[in-house]
Amino acid sequence: MNVFMDENFLLTTKTAERLYYDYAAKMPIMDYHCHINPKEIALNFQFNTITQIWLGSDHYKWRLMRSNGIDERYITGDAPDWEKFKQWAVTLQKAIGNPLYHWSHLELQRYFGIHQPLTAKNADKIFNHCNEILALPEMCVQGLIKKSNVTLICTTDDPVDSLEWHKQLVTEQKFETKVLPAWRPDKAMNIENADYLKYLSTLEEASGKTISSFADLKQALLIRMDYFNLMGCKVSDHGLNFVCYYPAEEEEIERIFSKRLSQKEISHLEELQFKTAFLLFVGRQYHKRNWVMQLHYGTKRNNNSLCYQKLGPDTGFDCILTEASSAQLTDFLDALNQTDELPKTILYSLNPSDNAAIGTILGCFQDSSIAGKIQQGSAWWFNDHKIGMLEQMTSLSNLGLLANFVGMLTDSRSFLSYTRHEYFRRILCDFIGCLVENGEYPNDIDFLGNIVQDISYYNCKNYFGF
């Protein structure tokens, strides 16, 4: 029997152990997609309790606690930090097979030196110990990032964001890790939202451009793109239900936009036509600026209406969408490709059934401009567990070139989530190690080590141009 989460956790072969310890473990981290707050980095925030950093905004944990029948007061409510932590400990102890069990204990090990399982019985001791450690000066936000060996972070930022905290970090030049903005224009695209016109007013203020037409909207976005580019932005991101492709003439898009400005209801088809035009426009601009386009799709959000009204978005009420169409995705990519304006693109589907479809789409649009121009992103959200990662790696290696994969990201709001890179790298090394020891690939350890280091770090650095 293996020891619980010992030094060889998830490493089942000698080859895997060698690949991890000699090659993967020492590599820095480039976190090219996350949701952490740049203000907390700039102000070098220090958390008072483990509850704040663990449960403050982690809807993964919130979902699990609700599944355990925990009252919302201990999840997003006003219960004291200790009581929230105790309820999380009660829940975590039951989470056998859930990646949160491994992630949480990796964080306890790496940041707090705790190698025993968290239970309801020892929750008080662990709570107090973690709080004592968090009080140390080096456990401030910037200290945690440095301890995690993170060289770059891309936050997720709306076109109207001032990027003032990114600017402060650049001006002060006290923090070695690069913190760059990433362009997330969902609110500018989601024309169907009730507060869309209110958002346009905010975009007008940020851009200094009056928006009375779709052409004006594009000009306002260009102004903001130029600003983001000036601030070092190299990547965009889109959160989509699915990638749509309903092309229409420019006059039709202007009519739809004018209709929405007049506060008239638009049809679902008109919504999709507008979004298609929007995505084609920004996609061409990404190509022009050499930005990477990330498309996150296959999700249906805010499904519990009552809880959404009480708690808002990103609180744990989203699910996998099964109706995404690879036909529309490929038509969209092809429309950009026809005019040689297809940017470097990373595709993520929340539906694991889409792995093979994505794998075949990649091969349709690769070209000589860069190895792996079109990427399948790492196993995302509900799939970033051991099985999900193995399925993604298996599909990618079966249908493409795993060696060119840009690797892991945190997609997290927590400054302790960098252990997810360790989790990923252990699984990657074990996947490759098993192939070698099964006689399915030569035991050229130096070449294999280079592949592991590329996936862990160098592919990302070269692909994004950081």
Side-chain angles (χ1 to χ4, degrees):
M1 179 184 294
N2 293 334
V3 177
F4 169 69
M5 291 187 67
D6 66 358
E7 66 275 8
N8 291 328
F9 172 58
L10 297 175
L11 305 175
T12 63
T13 68
K14 292 299 181 182
T15 304
E17 291 176 20
R18 188 171 178 188
L19 288 174
Y20 179 71
Y21 291 114
D22 291 352
Y23 296 94
K26 60 187 178 183
M27 298 307 296
I29 290 171
M30 282 196 163
D31 194 18
Y32 58 87
H33 175 68
C34 72
H35 297 278
I36 58 177
N37 189 341
K39 178 179 179 179
E40 293 179 339
I41 302 175
L43 298 181
N44 204 14
F45 190 80
Q46 190 126 20
F47 294 92
N48 294 319
T49 71
I50 181 65
T51 304
Q52 293 174 9
I53 197 169
W54 250 15
L55 296 170
S57 58
D58 193 338
H59 54 79
Y60 286 65
K61 293 186 177 74
W62 297 349
R63 283 174 68 101
L64 211 62
M65 293 172 76
R66 292 180 188 122
S67 296
N68 199 35
I70 303 299
D71 189 275
E72 195 67 31
R73 179 171 179 262
Y74 301 100
I75 302 172
T76 60
D78 60 357
D81 283 359
W82 153 244
E83 293 182 17
K84 288 184 176 182
F85 182 84
K86 177 66 178 291
Q87 293 303 321
W88 169 240
V90 168
T91 300
L92 186 64
Q93 194 170 1
K94 295 182 179 181
I96 184 170
N98 192 293
L100 282 168
Y101 195 85
H102 291 152
W103 296 347
S104 297
H105 285 94
L106 278 175
E107 291 170 14
L108 288 174
Q109 289 181 8
R110 300 297 175 261
Y111 296 103
F112 303 101
I114 297 171
H115 291 265
Q116 62 191 105
L118 174 61
T119 67
K121 291 182 178 179
N122 65 15
D124 56 342
K125 292 181 180 179
I126 289 180
F127 180 77
N128 291 329
H129 176 78
C130 289
N131 293 346
E132 290 175 3
I133 297 296
L134 284 172
L136 298 174
E138 63 267 26
M139 294 298 280
C140 57
V141 161
Q142 293 184 13
L144 290 170
I145 293 171
K146 182 178 180 180
K147 181 179 177 67
S148 304
N149 198 17
V150 180
T151 61
L152 177 136
I153 295 169
C154 289
T155 57
T156 302
D157 309 280
D158 189 276
V160 303
D161 286 346
S162 67
L163 306 183
E164 60 182 298
W165 302 111
H166 298 82
K167 189 180 299 183
Q168 179 173 317
L169 285 163
V170 171
T171 302
E172 292 181 353
Q173 296 182 334
K174 295 178 181 178
F175 188 43
E176 294 181 359
T177 300
K178 285 186 179 180
V179 183
L180 302 178
W183 173 268
R184 179 74 174 243
D186 295 357
K187 291 181 179 179
M189 185 186 72
N190 292 337
I191 193 171
E192 78 281 10
N193 284 354
D195 60 353
Y196 186 71
L197 299 184
K198 181 179 180 182
Y199 175 80
L200 290 184
S201 296
T202 309
L203 181 56
E204 286 181 327
E205 183 177 350
S207 65
K209 174 71 177 178
T210 300
I211 301 174
S212 56
S213 67
F214 182 54
D216 290 339
L217 173 62
K218 291 189 288 186
Q219 285 300 312
L221 292 171
L222 288 176
I223 291 168
R224 298 307 295 167
M225 278 189 191
D226 288 343
Y227 176 61
F228 270 61
N229 200 61
L230 185 65
M231 293 299 297
C233 180
K234 294 180 181 293
V235 58
S236 68
D237 182 51
H238 295 263
L240 309 166
N241 291 346
F242 62 96
V243 181
C244 62
Y245 188 69
Y246 290 83
E249 296 296 328
E250 188 79 8
E251 293 78 7
E252 177 65 9
I253 303 304
E254 287 288 5
R255 185 194 65 80
I256 293 168
F257 192 73
S258 177
K259 186 177 178 181
R260 184 67 182 89
L261 288 180
S262 300
Q263 302 187 43
K264 296 178 182 177
E265 186 175 345
I266 62 172
S267 68
H268 185 54
L269 175 59
E270 289 173 326
E271 171 197 333
L272 297 178
Q273 288 174 324
F274 175 81
K275 289 182 175 179
T276 299
F278 186 99
L279 285 171
L280 288 171
F281 166 71
V282 294
R284 293 179 177 117
Q285 292 300 318
Y286 302 155
H287 178 268
K288 181 179 179 181
R289 289 169 169 76
N290 197 29
W291 288 8
V292 174
M293 177 171 66
Q294 295 182 99
L295 301 176
H296 286 87
Y297 64 93
T299 178
K300 187 173 184 298
R301 300 176 186 270
N302 307 318
N303 296 292
N304 187 324
S305 300
L306 290 176
C307 290
Y308 174 68
Q309 291 168 11
K310 292 178 182 177
L311 302 173
D314 303 319
T315 50
F317 301 100
D318 307 326
C319 72
I320 292 172
L321 180 71
T322 58
E323 66 182 35
S325 167
S326 60
Q328 292 191 55
L329 171 58
T330 52
D331 287 347
F332 167 69
L333 297 175
D334 187 54
L336 293 171
N337 194 61
Q338 285 179 32
T339 54
D340 193 26
E341 294 176 292
L342 177 62
K344 290 177 286 187
T345 301
I346 307 178
L347 304 174
Y348 310 78
S349 176
L350 195 55
N351 190 339
S353 299
D354 290 340
N355 280 338
I358 291 176
T360 59
I361 290 169
L362 303 184
C364 297
F365 298 102
Q366 305 291 20
D367 62 37
S368 60
S369 63
I370 183 173
K373 175 180 177 179
I374 313 300
Q375 291 271 335
Q376 179 178 12
S378 60
W380 172 48
W381 198 347
F382 296 129
N383 303 311
D384 55 0
H385 44 71
K386 179 183 176 181
I387 299 300
M389 290 182 183
L390 286 173
E391 287 181 347
Q392 187 266 0
M393 291 178 195
T394 301
S395 180
L396 181 55
S397 59
N398 283 340
L399 299 169
L401 288 173
L402 178 66
N404 289 340
F405 178 31
V406 293
M408 187 58 176
L409 44 79
T410 63
D411 191 32
S412 174
R413 292 167 173 79
S414 171
F415 291 98
L416 298 184
S417 291
Y418 296 111
T419 54
R420 295 184 191 178
H421 285 260
E422 176 183 343
Y423 182 75
F424 166 83
R425 291 174 184 182
R426 287 174 178 270
I427 292 169
L428 171 67
C429 291
D430 196 63
F431 175 75
I432 294 175
C434 286
L435 291 176
V436 171
E437 300 213 6
N438 284 341
E440 298 178 55
Y441 195 87
N443 187 23
D444 184 341
I445 199 69
D446 288 334
F447 188 78
L448 293 167
N450 287 335
I451 288 176
V452 166
Q453 291 186 331
D454 284 345
I455 296 172
S456 298
Y457 181 76
Y458 291 115
N459 286 347
C460 171
K461 181 179 177 63
N462 295 331
Y463 184 78
F464 289 93
F466 292 134

